[in-house]
Amino acid sequence: MDINKETILKFDVPGPRYTSYPTAPVWSNEVNADVYIQKLKAFGRSDKTLSLYIHVPFCQTMCTYCGCNVVIRKRDDKYADEYLRHLFKEIDFVAQYTGKKKVKQFHWGGGTPTYLSEDQIERLFKKAQETFDIDPQGEIAIEIDPRTVSKSKVEKLYALGFNRISMGVQDFDPQVQKAVNRQQPYALVEEFNQWCRDLGFKSINFDLIYGLPFQTRESFTETVTKAIGLRPDRIALYSFAHVPWLKKHQNKIDEKTLPSSDVKLDIFLQARSQFMENGYQAIAMDHFALKEDELAKAFNVGELYRNFMGYTVKPADEYIGLGLTSISFLENTYVHNHKVLPEYYRLLHEGKLPVERGKILSQDDRMRQWTINALMCQFRIDKQKFAVQFGISFDEYFTQEQMHIHQCVDDQLIRVVGGVIEVTDLGKIFIRNVCMGFDFYLQQKGAPKQFSKTI
């Protein structure tokens, strides 16, 4: 695929990553704790199943590339114990409205979930087990910082029932690691990976990031070669979102050390080729999976789904997030918990759910959400499926977007074949640009401009 600098300049514009639609910047305090309680009650009366996410916000040090909401604390049981006391209150609060729901997907993220001690991990897991009906055959996943685990802790995770591990690798190059304040030798990752394999975890995922300081095509090629050598089942290859106006700690990164847009894209394309030449299938935007992995199988039959845990096989009807800054999606409503730890604690201490904001989806939101998800997850829009779902023809509803569709065809990002819009290989690289044309809020005057660039 030949992509010149002119193409890069044309499409390298700020845009959402579309982990949700509508995107978080347009959410508001129209959704409060009272609204959330009504949604929880409605869910509790239904026979729907659940995806459950728990957020552990603590990290011992700040990685300068980080775009997550984290709380930096030196390792000390007292911080985690205080957090767990409040988290348990939130769990009880939610469960009194939902009842003991069947959980088909259970995921711990952060921060660093393995900041917790073995005893704290066990207490939290058992609290969730007592409160919800967690399917032991479902996906039970945890995000790991290899620097925070011992063999004993990994054995504890496996014994509790975790069956999928996702580890932050980012880059194996020592100069890059030093520049982003995440020094993590290859030997450490190799040893941790082997522990997981020996124990029999069902799936291992590596997170890599391209576009970091001092990265070159040659250095990242070596990182990818080492990663492939360890044979993870899945790989998430994320673009570094450089947003120092949102994440002040990113100001510690010297912009002059970042690869240019064309070099960054070159790094991505080279990594993509390496993965695909070594038995991995490209899954949607920035994920790769071995061809026998269930994620690859789901993509191939059009059943891939995207939520705040990334690309996934959609195992459940609704999604509840617990903990600081967590997000839920219930009854066509996004609910976002507070991001500031003292406020999260204060509200729970007062017996209130720690809701900050959210978004109740309109019918237009749901139609655009369906369309953007189809592009992000299947790289195609079946107009007939849209018509069946919403009772109106795709072209009739999206009359205003026809110019964008024609422009994408002219730019060779998509092609229209009968009643199907198919994304081209070029369009797969710039899929966010294709989606942006269907984003109602992005077209409005005064729309948020606080997104990272698409490359």
Side-chain angles (χ1 to χ4, degrees), residues 98-115:
T98 65
K100 194 167 185 175
K101 281 292 186 181
K102 185 78 168 180
V103 173
K104 303 289 287 183
Q105 182 185 43
F106 188 32
H107 187 110
W108 293 20
T112 306
T114 44
Y115 175 95

Side-chain angles (χ1 to χ4, degrees), residues 263-314:
V263 170
K264 185 179 178 184
L265 183 62
D266 205 26
I267 290 170
F268 170 76
L269 293 174
Q270 171 62 24
R272 186 174 186 267
S273 294
Q274 282 180 266
F275 290 129
M276 294 175 72
E277 288 165 6
N278 284 276
Y280 290 89
Q281 182 173 349
I283 304 296
M285 182 172 64
D286 47 19
H287 282 53
F288 301 83
L290 292 174
K291 292 175 182 177
E292 59 271 21
D293 187 88
E294 63 177 5
L295 206 65
K297 292 176 181 176
F299 174 74
N300 290 331
V301 296
E303 292 179 359
L304 195 65
Y305 184 70
R306 183 169 170 83
N307 61 23
F308 292 96
M309 292 185 272
Y311 285 106
T312 181
V313 177
K314 186 181 181 182

Side-chain angles (χ1 to χ4, degrees), residues 39-52 91 94-106 127-136 316-320 322 330-331:
K39 301 299 177 182
L40 290 169
K41 286 179 177 177
F43 174 58
R45 291 190 295 267
S46 74
D47 59 359
K48 295 176 180 177
T49 54
L50 181 63
S51 285
L52 186 66
I91 291 172
V94 166
Q96 71 174 301
Y97 299 113
T98 65
K100 194 167 185 175
K101 281 292 186 181
K102 185 78 168 180
V103 173
K104 303 289 287 183
Q105 182 185 43
F106 188 32
K127 175 66 175 179
Q129 273 186 322
E130 291 164 5
T131 312
F132 301 97
D133 181 13
I134 297 173
D135 181 358
D317 305 297
E318 303 282 27
Y319 177 95
I320 288 179
L322 299 163
L330 277 180
E331 306 291 323

Side-chain angles (χ1 to χ4, degrees), residues 22-76:
T23 57
V26 303
W27 300 357
S28 73
N29 58 10
E30 69 167 338
V31 174
N32 54 28
D34 291 336
V35 172
Y36 188 29
I37 288 170
Q38 295 308 311
K39 301 299 177 182
L40 290 169
K41 286 179 177 177
F43 174 58
R45 291 190 295 267
S46 74
D47 59 359
K48 295 176 180 177
T49 54
L50 181 63
S51 285
L52 186 66
Y53 172 81
I54 291 180
H55 189 77
V56 179
F58 302 112
C59 289
Q60 294 184 59
T61 58
M62 176 66 82
C63 304
T64 54
Y65 60 77
C66 184
C68 302
N69 288 298
V70 302
V71 177
I72 304 302
R73 293 283 188 272
K74 293 297 182 185
R75 177 74 190 92
D76 191 321

Side-chain angles (χ1 to χ4, degrees), residues 323-326 336-341 343-344 347 354-356:
L324 185 75
T325 198
S326 288
H336 197 182
N337 277 358
H338 271 278
K339 300 189 288 288
V340 179
L341 197 60
E343 185 67 5
Y344 175 79
L347 289 165
V355 175
E356 182 186 31

Side-chain angles (χ1 to χ4, degrees), residues 110-153:
T112 306
T114 44
Y115 175 95
L116 303 179
S117 68
E118 289 179 38
D119 174 67
Q120 289 164 340
I121 288 170
E122 184 166 7
R123 283 195 283 129
L124 178 54
F125 195 92
K126 289 189 172 177
K127 175 66 175 179
Q129 273 186 322
E130 291 164 5
T131 312
F132 301 97
D133 181 13
I134 297 173
D135 181 358
Q137 302 306 312
E139 183 180 282
I140 304 177
I142 185 168
E143 297 172 9
I144 299 284
D145 179 342
R147 301 172 300 170
T148 64
V149 291
S150 60
K151 189 174 184 181
S152 173
K153 188 175 281 191

